[in-house]
Amino acid sequence: MHRAVLEYDRTGSQVEAELLLLNIARARHYRPVHFTAVSSVAATFDFRVSSGIIGRIGKIPDPDARPLDLEFSSSVAENPTITIVPISGEEFTKRILRPIGESKFAFLVHQGFDINMVLRLMARGIAINGEASPTLLFNAPSRGEEYREFRRRLLHLAYLDQARKLFVGPLMYEESVAVPVQRGPTPAEVVDGLEKGYRWTVSGSGQQYLLNKRITGRIIITNYDPNRLTDEERRRLNQEAERHSEDYILVDIRAGFPGGDYPLHGTILLRSLNSIIAFLARGIAEESEFHVDPDSRTGPVMRNPARTLEILESSGQPTDAEFFVELEQKYYSISKFPISEGMVPSWNQEAFTVLSNLFQMTVTDVSGVKTPIISIPKG
């Protein structure tokens, strides 16, 4: 059982990794992506042991033969049933094609992944607020200088993060509502308010009772501690963030704070998982990424590879790869030791881990998916 459980786990992990790589290869050839998920593995183990004594009745013809024989036998049988769920229809649209929300970005950054790596995968671009209209910087190498500036902005965020001068998290502020009552709240009303997240206070003049509630708002990226702002300032920033859907992240890199000589006030636009796969597929050959140096106002950045995720395409089966898949008589592999300029040995593996984590967070519970389910029993 110990061996079987570990082997099921290894196989499931390998299948998931190769499935992600296969879909990148499909997108490379402009094929539609398709995902399946293993929703359950039910294995029955049958252990049998038998033993006995065989004796002979009558005269033994051979004097050297034994009158009694011992018999012992054992057998082990394993009968797994694997349930595979194709992800399609509304479930596919909801989880694969819909842009990823800001909470998943914040989760990955708080897990310690390089913010430059995460955003190079997840970000479709940056909209920098201007006096007339926003300036759009798309994460597409074909855009030339626009792409270079996008990369420089991410490198600046990475530098601030390395220096521990970057804040990524939700805006939190207190909202107050005046309550027109002539008397103070009763103990029961105070308890009821606390259970609902409110607390009673009295205005500064003592003429009015207030109900206060702590609000957890949208995610923001800053070069200062937002908690040092007033409630009103945090509320206004949250209102600005609320003008956009949750696949936009508000960024406020202000002058007067670390890194503020390269200011940025705008939003980061997030991709869907499908768009991330398409971006990586184009990067294999059609629209290759290239090296971009940090802006002169940015401090030293430890990691700045040319490619977000280096996927090798070859005619022959690779010999030095983490894993590979075959499609259209071509092999696609994640190399163990990246070869691109500026690529550190662990970058490729970490970037693929981020991609895998995004897949896990995007396609969560498939047990209730209303699509045809394939059960494969093994006799």
Side-chain angles (χ1 to χ4, degrees), residues 127-143:
I128 303 175
N129 292 352
E131 293 183 2
S133 60
T135 300
L136 293 175
L137 306 173
F138 284 106
N139 183 12
S142 60
R143 298 274 185 160

mmCIF file of all heavy atoms in Angstrom, residues 127-143:
data_model
loop_
_atom_site.group_PDB
_atom_site.id
_atom_site.type_symbol
_atom_site.label_atom_id
_atom_site.label_comp_id
_atom_site.label_asym_id
_atom_site.label_seq_id
_atom_site.Cartn_x
_atom_site.Cartn_y
_atom_site.Cartn_z
ATOM 1 N N ALA A 127 -1.720 49.701 -17.290
ATOM 2 C CA ALA A 127 -2.342 50.957 -17.707
ATOM 3 C C ALA A 127 -1.877 52.044 -16.749
ATOM 4 O O ALA A 127 -2.216 52.011 -15.562
ATOM 5 C CB ALA A 127 -3.861 50.842 -17.697
ATOM 6 N N ILE A 128 -1.062 52.977 -17.247
ATOM 7 C CA ILE A 128 -0.541 54.066 -16.422
ATOM 8 C C ILE A 128 -1.454 55.273 -16.586
ATOM 9 O O ILE A 128 -1.667 55.755 -17.712
ATOM 10 C CB ILE A 128 0.905 54.422 -16.818
ATOM 11 C CG1 ILE A 128 1.805 53.184 -16.697
ATOM 12 C CG2 ILE A 128 1.443 55.556 -15.951
ATOM 13 C CD1 ILE A 128 3.218 53.400 -17.178
ATOM 14 N N ASN A 129 -1.997 55.766 -15.479
ATOM 15 C CA ASN A 129 -2.925 56.887 -15.537
ATOM 16 C C ASN A 129 -2.222 58.152 -16.008
ATOM 17 O O ASN A 129 -1.138 58.496 -15.515
ATOM 18 C CB ASN A 129 -3.566 57.131 -14.171
ATOM 19 C CG ASN A 129 -4.508 56.007 -13.769
ATOM 20 O OD1 ASN A 129 -4.794 55.117 -14.580
ATOM 21 N ND2 ASN A 129 -4.985 56.042 -12.545
ATOM 22 N N GLY A 130 -2.836 58.836 -16.960
ATOM 23 C CA GLY A 130 -2.320 60.101 -17.462
ATOM 24 C C GLY A 130 -3.376 61.175 -17.347
ATOM 25 O O GLY A 130 -4.518 60.921 -16.931
ATOM 26 N N GLU A 131 -3.018 62.406 -17.719
ATOM 27 C CA GLU A 131 -3.959 63.514 -17.610
ATOM 28 C C GLU A 131 -5.137 63.335 -18.559
ATOM 29 O O GLU A 131 -6.277 63.615 -18.200
ATOM 30 C CB GLU A 131 -3.242 64.835 -17.915
ATOM 31 C CG GLU A 131 -2.191 65.205 -16.866
ATOM 32 C CD GLU A 131 -1.554 66.541 -17.160
ATOM 33 O OE1 GLU A 131 -1.957 67.187 -18.155
ATOM 34 O OE2 GLU A 131 -0.659 66.939 -16.395
ATOM 35 N N ALA A 132 -4.872 62.872 -19.793
ATOM 36 C CA ALA A 132 -5.949 62.720 -20.767
ATOM 37 C C ALA A 132 -6.511 61.300 -20.752
ATOM 38 O O ALA A 132 -7.706 61.092 -20.544
ATOM 39 C CB ALA A 132 -5.435 63.078 -22.164
ATOM 40 N N SER A 133 -5.652 60.320 -20.957
ATOM 41 C CA SER A 133 -6.074 58.924 -20.996
ATOM 42 C C SER A 133 -4.914 58.045 -20.542
ATOM 43 O O SER A 133 -3.757 58.467 -20.582
ATOM 44 C CB SER A 133 -6.512 58.530 -22.413
ATOM 45 O OG SER A 133 -5.437 58.695 -23.320
ATOM 46 N N PRO A 134 -5.217 56.815 -20.110
ATOM 47 C CA PRO A 134 -4.140 55.932 -19.648
ATOM 48 C C PRO A 134 -3.187 55.543 -20.772
ATOM 49 O O PRO A 134 -3.578 55.443 -21.933
ATOM 50 C CB PRO A 134 -4.899 54.704 -19.124
ATOM 51 C CG PRO A 134 -6.306 55.145 -18.916
ATOM 52 C CD PRO A 134 -6.545 56.216 -19.932
ATOM 53 N N THR A 135 -1.917 55.354 -20.402
ATOM 54 C CA THR A 135 -0.919 54.823 -21.332
ATOM 55 C C THR A 135 -0.845 53.326 -21.128
ATOM 56 O O THR A 135 -0.589 52.860 -20.016
ATOM 57 C CB THR A 135 0.457 55.458 -21.074
ATOM 58 O OG1 THR A 135 0.368 56.868 -21.258
ATOM 59 C CG2 THR A 135 1.499 54.887 -22.013
ATOM 60 N N LEU A 136 -1.077 52.551 -22.193
ATOM 61 C CA LEU A 136 -1.107 51.099 -22.091
ATOM 62 C C LEU A 136 0.232 50.512 -22.495
ATOM 63 O O LEU A 136 0.777 50.846 -23.554
ATOM 64 C CB LEU A 136 -2.214 50.526 -22.970
ATOM 65 C CG LEU A 136 -3.648 50.861 -22.539
ATOM 66 C CD1 LEU A 136 -4.643 50.337 -23.555
ATOM 67 C CD2 LEU A 136 -3.946 50.286 -21.166
ATOM 68 N N LEU A 137 0.756 49.649 -21.635
ATOM 69 C CA LEU A 137 1.999 48.919 -21.914
ATOM 70 C C LEU A 137 1.657 47.438 -21.897
ATOM 71 O O LEU A 137 1.414 46.865 -20.836
ATOM 72 C CB LEU A 137 3.060 49.218 -20.849
ATOM 73 C CG LEU A 137 3.394 50.687 -20.591
ATOM 74 C CD1 LEU A 137 4.326 50.803 -19.388
ATOM 75 C CD2 LEU A 137 4.021 51.329 -21.820
ATOM 76 N N PHE A 138 1.608 46.808 -23.079
ATOM 77 C CA PHE A 138 1.220 45.405 -23.143
ATOM 78 C C PHE A 138 2.430 44.484 -23.026
ATOM 79 O O PHE A 138 3.518 44.788 -23.513
ATOM 80 C CB PHE A 138 0.466 45.114 -24.442
ATOM 81 C CG PHE A 138 -0.958 45.608 -24.423
ATOM 82 C CD1 PHE A 138 -1.317 46.737 -25.141
ATOM 83 C CD2 PHE A 138 -1.923 44.959 -23.675
ATOM 84 C CE1 PHE A 138 -2.623 47.208 -25.116
ATOM 85 C CE2 PHE A 138 -3.231 45.411 -23.644
ATOM 86 C CZ PHE A 138 -3.585 46.541 -24.367
ATOM 87 N N ASN A 139 2.193 43.351 -22.388
ATOM 88 C CA ASN A 139 3.221 42.333 -22.193
ATOM 89 C C ASN A 139 3.299 41.470 -23.459
ATOM 90 O O ASN A 139 2.898 40.304 -23.474
ATOM 91 C CB ASN A 139 2.882 41.483 -20.964
ATOM 92 C CG ASN A 139 3.931 40.444 -20.656
ATOM 93 O OD1 ASN A 139 5.024 40.462 -21.204
ATOM 94 N ND2 ASN A 139 3.602 39.510 -19.765
ATOM 95 N N ALA A 140 3.811 42.060 -24.519
ATOM 96 C CA ALA A 140 3.920 41.370 -25.808
ATOM 97 C C ALA A 140 5.216 41.800 -26.478
ATOM 98 O O ALA A 140 5.376 42.979 -26.813
ATOM 99 C CB ALA A 140 2.730 41.705 -26.690
ATOM 100 N N PRO A 141 6.165 40.878 -26.680
ATOM 101 C CA PRO A 141 7.457 41.247 -27.278
ATOM 102 C C PRO A 141 7.337 41.935 -28.638
ATOM 103 O O PRO A 141 8.203 42.733 -29.007
ATOM 104 C CB PRO A 141 8.172 39.899 -27.406
ATOM 105 C CG PRO A 141 7.565 39.046 -26.338
ATOM 106 C CD PRO A 141 6.133 39.467 -26.271
ATOM 107 N N SER A 142 6.272 41.652 -29.380
ATOM 108 C CA SER A 142 6.105 42.287 -30.696
ATOM 109 C C SER A 142 5.860 43.786 -30.581
ATOM 110 O O SER A 142 5.966 44.506 -31.579
ATOM 111 C CB SER A 142 4.938 41.635 -31.443
ATOM 112 O OG SER A 142 3.729 41.778 -30.711
ATOM 113 N N ARG A 143 5.550 44.274 -29.374
ATOM 114 C CA ARG A 143 5.280 45.699 -29.171
ATOM 115 C C ARG A 143 6.548 46.527 -29.022
ATOM 116 O O ARG A 143 6.487 47.740 -28.867
ATOM 117 C CB ARG A 143 4.407 45.886 -27.929
ATOM 118 C CG ARG A 143 3.036 45.223 -28.025
ATOM 119 C CD ARG A 143 2.051 46.122 -28.699
ATOM 120 N NE ARG A 143 0.706 45.562 -28.700
ATOM 121 C CZ ARG A 143 -0.392 46.260 -28.881
ATOM 122 N NH1 ARG A 143 -0.301 47.565 -29.085
ATOM 123 N NH2 ARG A 143 -1.572 45.673 -28.893
#
